């Protein structure tokens, strides 16, 4: 019998992140990747799907970027990304197409719309046999932050679906979104940020919350490279 | 005897082997001979990669000096922490990545990691040039933390970590710190002195 304290992990394949998390993201978790513009959210989320594909797990990537080719062009090429093999395991859909197919026009909200959205995402996850789901970003899906009830409704439904399908999700959002009410509803938060030190600007990553895992809460310094997101300790002597 | 100084450097490193962090005491007059010894006689001739972290001489200068000597630079990668701080445009070179300045120590660790990943299993020597210039830009406390972490991590990966130091220009506390973080402090010229 599985121990309640030791949940099965989705090994992200991003070595530095897996180390911080003590092995990976607990399976079924919904994890926010939150941060200011240009902090590396898309890079991290994309690598999550690509690393999965490399290790044989299919992924679904829903993106606000207008087209797949533009998405790939925006992301500096990863040395382990191969369109012919890895690319096959990744289903990419633009958010615009998703909303259109779901018959949702912009500005519409309500539980029925959320239901529609979830069932569309579910269909994609089932069709793709996806173990990893990324939505980059959810800020446009949940445009009105005052509608917290609806956010919670969406996340609860998504969580149910992930449990049924055995999948793990990364949702990208702005820093403020994670600080709001939905931060307490999701299972985990990965904060991307900047740290200024004597005029130098370092990229940082920190995990303040991850249900089902004993993890480091320290701030780490990261680099976005063609070998993926690299992580190292923040030197203490410098602050 | 300066003529074969570079081959002597290689012999000394070969005698020590991997996973040992070395503080290499050099004299400023023999700087280029030592660099050549590390890159050509040791790395290149043994079919190894060399990650050369420079916070003293711009990588472009080192590159042209090596080219003039017709040194094989196939397995050589530069992490250049000086060129950004100097005025003028940087000519981007394939084998070089730039770190804005020598106080961005975490970024140096990340760039070393980057080159190690790209190299896969290949044996690698990692040179830090030099403790003196790093000490100008960083206080001894953070420098000691930096060297402790990166040297240990390189040792764990069976790399050959080498820190260049010009001892007569080093503050006592930095020298002591290097004595702590390096497994061996190796003087280069002393052997041939009477
Ligand atoms: N492999 C890489 N090598 C070098 N630079 C990179 C790499 N990956 C990303 N970058 C740079 O880092 C920046 C941020 O990347 P990314 O798009 O992942 O951030 P983001 O948080 O998603 O930004 P936004 O808020 O605009 O969506 C970009 O400007 C990009 O050029
Ligand atoms: Mg983005």
């Amino acid at each position: 019998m599985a121990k309640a304290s030791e949940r099965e992990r989705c090994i992200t394949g991003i070595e530095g992140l897996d180390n911080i998390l003590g092995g990976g993201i607990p399976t079924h978790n919904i994890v926010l990747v939150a941060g200011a513009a240009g902090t590396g959210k898309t890079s991290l989320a994309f690598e999550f799907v690509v690393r999965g594909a490399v290790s044989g797990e299919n992924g679904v990537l829903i993106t606000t970027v207008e087209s797949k080719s533009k998405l790939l062009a925006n992301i500096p090429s990863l040395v382990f990304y191969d369109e012919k093999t890895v690319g096959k395991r990744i289903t990419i859909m633009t958010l615009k197409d998703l909303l259109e197919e779901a018959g949702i026009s912009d500005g519409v909200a309500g539980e029925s719309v959320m239901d529609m959205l979830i069932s569309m995402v579910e269909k994609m996850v089932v069709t793709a046999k996806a173990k990893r789901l990324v939505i980059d970003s959810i800020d446009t899906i949940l445009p009105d932050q005052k509608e917290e009830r609806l956010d919670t409704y969406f996340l609860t439904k998504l969580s149910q679906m992930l449990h049924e399908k055995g999948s793990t999700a990364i949702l990208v959002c702005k820093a403020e979104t994670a600080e709001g009410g939905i931060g307490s509803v999701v299972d985990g938060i990965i904060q991307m940020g900047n740290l200024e030190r004597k005029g130098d600007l370092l990229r940082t990553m920190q995990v303040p919350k991850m249900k089902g895992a004993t993890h480091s809460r320290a701030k780490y310094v990261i680099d976005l490279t063609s070998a993926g997101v690299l992580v190292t300790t923040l030197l203490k002597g410098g602050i | 005897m300066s003529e074969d100084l570079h081959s002597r450097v290689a012999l000394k490193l070969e005698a020590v082997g991997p996973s040992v962090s070395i503080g290499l005491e050099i004299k400023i007059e023999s700087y280029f001979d030592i660099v050549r010894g590390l890159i050509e006689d040791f790395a290149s001739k043994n079919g190894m990669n060399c990650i050369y972290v420079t916070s003293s001489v711009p990588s472009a200068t080192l590159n042209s000096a090596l080219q003039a000597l017709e040194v094989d630079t196939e397995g050589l990668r530069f992490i250049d922490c000086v060129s950004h701080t100097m005025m003028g445009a940087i000519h981007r070179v394939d084998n070089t990545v730039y770190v804005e300045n020598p106080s961005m120590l975490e970024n140096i660790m990340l760039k070393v990691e980057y080159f190690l990943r790209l190299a896969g299993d290949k044996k690698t020597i990692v040179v830090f040039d030099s403790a003196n210039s790093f000490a100008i830009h960083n206080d001894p406390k953070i420098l000691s933390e930096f060297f402790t972490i990166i040297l240990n991590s390189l040792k764990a990966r069976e790399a050959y970590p080498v820190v260049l130091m010009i001892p007569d220009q080093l503050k006592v506390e930095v020298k002591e710190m290097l004595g702590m973080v390096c497994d061996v402090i190796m003087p280069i010229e002393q052997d041939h002195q009477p």
Side-chain angles (χ1 to χ4, degrees):
Chain A
M1 235 167 65
K3 277 188 287 178
S5 57
E6 270 305 315
R7 281 179 49 193
E8 199 186 316
R9 300 300 178 100
C10 166
I11 300 164
T12 68
I14 302 163
E15 201 182 303
L17 179 61
D18 287 332
N19 288 341
I20 292 172
L21 295 175
I25 300 173
T27 313
H28 314 147
N29 269 9
I30 297 179
V31 178
L32 289 184
V33 170
T39 47
K41 304 180 296 291
T42 298
S43 304
L44 187 80
F46 183 67
E47 188 179 351
F48 172 69
V49 176
V50 173
R51 292 281 184 185
V54 168
S55 67
E57 287 185 8
N58 294 356
V60 165
L61 177 65
I62 298 167
T63 168
T64 37
V65 177
E66 308 85 89
S67 68
K68 182 178 173 178
S69 59
K70 186 154 179 214
L71 173 81
L72 292 177
N74 279 349
I75 294 169
S77 53
L78 295 170
V79 289
F80 46 86
Y81 180 84
D82 175 10
E83 176 68 39
K84 287 201 198 76
T85 55
V86 175
K88 268 197 192 147
R89 292 187 171 276
I90 303 175
T91 309
I92 298 181
M93 184 160 207
T94 68
L95 195 58
K96 188 166 154 285
D97 290 349
L98 181 74
L99 295 176
E100 265 174 27
E101 258 187 64
I104 302 169
S105 52
D106 51 353
V108 190
E111 286 184 6
S112 60
V113 172
M114 288 301 165
D115 283 338
M116 196 104 82
L117 210 55
I118 294 287
S119 73
M120 282 291 300
V121 174
E122 178 169 356
K123 208 170 92 188
M124 285 185 74
V125 168
V126 170
T127 310
K129 296 190 175 68
K131 291 287 165 220
R132 297 179 188 214
L133 167 69
V134 166
I135 305 179
D136 181 2
S137 78
I138 56 159
D139 291 315
T140 37
I141 296 186
L142 311 171
D144 190 354
Q145 290 308 311
K146 286 176 210 108
E147 280 279 8
E148 254 173 38
R149 187 188 52 83
L150 213 53
D151 293 356
T152 309
Y153 183 80
F154 175 79
L155 291 170
T156 312
K157 288 275 172 178
L158 184 64
S159 178
Q160 276 170 13
M161 191 271 277
L162 295 171
H163 265 276
E164 279 166 26
K165 309 298 172 220
S167 313
T168 306
I170 281 189
L171 310 182
V172 173
C173 66
K174 290 185 291 203
E176 307 89 82
T177 311
E179 282 156 17
I182 97 168
S184 54
V185 184
V186 293
D187 305 299
I189 300 175
I190 301 173
Q191 257 161 15
M192 313 294 283
N194 293 309
L195 177 74
E196 190 169 340
R197 185 174 68 200
K198 294 178 191 154
D200 295 337
L201 197 61
L202 302 167
R203 289 183 189 278
T204 63
M205 180 164 85
Q206 189 168 27
V207 180
K209 164 176 175 176
M210 188 63 64
K211 279 188 190 154
T214 313
H215 61 94
S216 162
R217 295 169 51 86
K219 191 172 272 183
Y220 292 82
V221 181
I222 65 159
D223 193 11
L224 312 175
T225 75
S226 62
V229 177
L230 302 181
V231 181
T232 194
T233 346
L234 175 67
L235 299 177
K236 301 294 186 298
I239 317 173
Chain B
M1 290 305 282
S2 147
E3 199 179 48
D4 55 13
L5 185 59
H6 49 91
S7 46
R8 218 166 66 223
V9 172
L11 288 176
K12 291 198 88 165
L13 288 192
E14 277 157 22
V16 175
S19 298
V20 178
S21 52
I22 300 172
L24 204 60
E25 288 188 344
I26 65 169
K27 288 215 166 69
I28 194 75
E29 312 85 76
S30 48
Y31 174 76
F32 274 104
D33 251 351
I34 303 282
V35 171
R36 181 180 176 185
L38 295 169
I39 292 172
E40 182 175 44
D41 299 73
F42 184 68
S44 181
K45 289 196 177 148
N46 287 312
M48 290 168 51
N49 280 345
C50 177
I51 300 175
Y52 198 99
V53 185
T54 173
S55 60
S56 62
V57 178
S59 55
T61 310
L62 289 168
N63 249 332
S64 36
L66 292 167
Q67 265 158 30
L69 292 167
E70 295 184 349
V71 171
D72 175 10
T73 53
E74 169 80 24
L76 177 62
R77 304 285 178 269
F78 282 110
I79 299 172
D80 182 331
C81 318
V82 269
S83 295
H84 251 290
T85 53
M86 303 190 316
M87 296 304 173
I90 291 177
H91 296 278
R92 304 238 154 232
V93 190
D94 267 355
N95 69 347
T96 306
V97 296
Y98 298 89
V99 169
E100 281 163 66
N101 66 61
S103 66
M104 297 187 85
L105 297 173
E106 288 93 344
N107 283 6
I108 295 172
M109 300 199 283
L110 289 164
K111 298 302 182 198
V112 170
E113 173 71 23
Y114 172 65
F115 279 138
L116 286 174
R117 288 226 183 169
L118 292 187
D121 289 338
K122 207 155 174 211
K123 287 260 168 228
T124 305
I125 170 175
V126 183
V127 181
F128 298 89
D129 175 6
S130 62
N132 298 64
S133 55
F134 277 115
I136 292 171
H137 293 92
N138 298 281
D139 69 61
K141 228 174 103 194
I142 196 168
L143 204 53
S144 141
E145 201 181 343
F146 165 72
F147 277 126
T148 305
I149 294 174
I150 197 159
L151 296 178
N152 279 332
S153 130
L154 290 171
K155 282 160 63 180
R157 304 170 85 138
E158 290 179 35
Y160 293 76
V162 177
V163 182
L164 300 187
M165 50 199 279
I166 302 158
D168 36 335
Q169 296 174 12
L170 267 184
K171 278 197 224 148
V172 181
E173 55 178 332
V174 178
K175 233 192 246 182
E176 278 174 1
M177 181 273 286
L178 290 168
M180 302 277 288
V181 298
C182 295
D183 298 322
V184 201
I185 299 290
M186 192 185 275
I188 275 299
E189 265 132 329
Q190 258 81 334
D191 352 351
H192 281 236
Q193 279 168 6

